[in-house]
Amino acid sequence: GNTVVVLLNFSGGDHLNYRLGLPEGKYEVLFNTDKACYGGSGKYDRKRIYNTKRKHSHGKENSITFDIPKMTCVYLKKIF
């Protein structure tokens, strides 16, 4: 019954301010391989909660913007 979104960037470059279409709501970061404790840079591991904005992307009416560094996996869980 929970919504979990998995973001993967296996490319050699960072994707900053990447807009991702999602159902309206609030999303919490569950796991981020960019954390220093996992060998990541840690520089994009500041924000824990993302609120969707009413901006169309990927066929959805709502979206978030997200910084996802190269070679990173992030799990987001819809909490509201």
Side-chain angles (χ1 to χ4, degrees), residues 5-65:
V5 178
V6 180
L7 304 171
L8 302 168
N9 180 6
F10 292 143
S11 75
D14 297 346
H15 292 286
L16 305 180
N17 294 312
Y18 181 78
R19 183 162 297 283
L20 177 66
L22 293 171
E24 182 179 14
K26 189 179 281 196
Y27 293 81
E28 177 182 24
V29 176
L30 295 178
F31 178 69
N32 183 347
T33 62
D34 188 52
K35 284 186 168 197
C37 65
Y38 300 124
S41 71
K43 62 184 174 183
Y44 301 113
D45 182 41
R46 294 184 182 102
K47 196 166 182 181
R48 298 279 308 150
I49 303 291
Y50 291 84
N51 294 303
T52 57
K53 305 274 190 238
R54 199 144 183 88
K55 196 152 193 178
H56 189 270
S57 183
H58 298 101
K60 306 281 185 195
E61 290 188 25
N62 297 282
S63 63
I64 63 170
T65 56

